[in-house]
Amino acid sequence: MKTIYAVQHLAFEDLGSLEDLFYELGFRVRYFEAGVDDLKPAFKHDGLTVILGGPIGVYEEADYPFLKQETALLKARLAANKPTIGICLGAQLIAKALGAKVYAGEHKEIGWSTLNIKATSENPLQGLIDQPVLHWHGDTFDLPTSATLLASSEHYPHQAFSCGTNVLALQFHLEVCGDNFERWLIGHTAELRQGNFSVQALRADTARCAQGLSHVARSILLDYLKQLNLV
């Protein structure tokens, strides 16, 4: 049976709406918990590995030593050009593994808004034109020298990039699912209160935007898997 490996940094930040499509296509999904599980099988996997989000920074290695090994394993994986998707923290880890600087942005970007999708040849994110996506990050990164910029936002110029056809890094949350979004609001309550973000507004915007995003996300993921000859 085909298997998708997912590296998870926070219990409720999972594959979301993407997981249903994997199951429909006949894939098995196996999660690895960063900081708890041995991540070597996930990063040495020849099939698709997805690196998910989380609230820590890639530069916080003194507090979270597992990040050193995770980055090293990811660097080797990217050098082997194995199919890899990084989401939020996962995208930042990809940027660092490719030699780019990752650092705190000027302010946190939390909420729904549209992206500036770059007019590059065969941009896999074309379906996101005019489609709001969920942003939930405070860090950003320089664009790796080997990368093609795919999307930007007003305050964060590097929202998505690709490296060849196998590696896709997304600073925003393509995977968010409206059905379980309440877990995000509960789990991130301290961050939301500290930043004076409105829980009610986030809940309402998610109810309005999540279904449309899930529809586009399925199409983007399916095209990516076809490009890799995985389906």
Side-chain angles (χ1 to χ4, degrees):
M1 183 180 292
K2 300 177 293 185
T3 304
I4 302 297
Y5 284 26
V7 177
Q8 199 168 25
H9 300 88
L10 195 62
F12 57 80
E13 291 198 26
D14 53 23
L15 287 167
S17 66
L18 306 182
E19 190 163 345
D20 287 341
L21 179 58
F22 286 135
Y23 288 140
E24 290 172 19
L25 295 172
F27 287 97
R28 172 177 175 260
V29 174
R30 181 180 178 188
Y31 283 97
F32 288 77
E33 291 187 51
V36 178
D37 297 329
D38 179 5
L39 300 182
K40 294 187 186 73
F43 283 102
K44 293 181 178 180
H45 177 47
D46 289 331
L48 175 61
T49 292
V50 183
I51 310 163
L52 296 165
I56 62 176
V58 303
Y59 43 79
E60 295 183 290
E61 294 177 342
D63 289 332
Y64 305 100
F66 71 85
L67 286 168
K68 293 181 180 179
Q69 183 196 39
E70 185 173 7
T71 304
L73 289 169
L74 177 56
K75 185 175 182 179
R77 179 177 182 82
L78 297 176
N81 198 32
K82 295 183 178 182
T84 307
I85 296 176
I87 295 175
C88 197
L89 174 59
Q92 295 159 14
L93 283 163
I94 289 176
K96 182 177 180 180
L98 291 173
K101 182 182 178 182
V102 182
Y103 49 94
E106 293 185 2
H107 60 81
K108 288 185 180 294
E109 186 174 41
I110 297 178
W112 291 82
S113 65
T114 56
L115 295 164
N116 174 16
I117 305 299
K118 301 303 179 181
T120 59
S121 176
E122 299 181 359
N123 189 327
L125 304 182
Q126 286 291 338
L128 289 174
I129 294 175
D130 297 327
Q131 170 61 54
V133 300
L134 179 68
H135 304 279
W136 203 303
H137 61 93
D139 287 348
T140 188
F141 47 81
D142 293 337
L143 188 68
T145 56
S146 58
T148 298
L149 183 63
L150 301 177
S152 302
S153 65
E154 181 180 357
H155 299 292
Y156 283 80
H158 302 147
Q159 282 282 358
F161 65 85
S162 62
C163 289
T165 58
N166 287 7
V167 178
L168 188 60
L170 310 174
Q171 174 83 305
F172 57 92
H173 288 277
L174 184 73
E175 84 290 1
V176 68
C177 181
D179 292 343
N180 63 21
F181 187 68
E182 200 68 21
R183 295 189 299 168
W184 289 59
L185 298 176
I186 296 169
H188 288 305
T189 182
E191 182 179 30
L192 294 174
R193 300 304 184 198
Q194 184 180 33
N196 293 317
F197 294 98
S198 169
V199 171
Q200 290 82 5
L202 280 166
R203 185 182 289 121
D205 287 345
T206 300
R208 177 174 55 87
C209 300
Q211 185 174 358
L213 177 61
S214 293
H215 178 74
V216 177
R218 289 171 62 92
S219 178
I220 290 172
L221 179 61
L222 185 58
D223 287 346
Y224 172 81
L225 294 173
K226 288 178 178 177
Q227 181 176 275
L228 297 174
N229 294 317
L230 292 177
V231 294

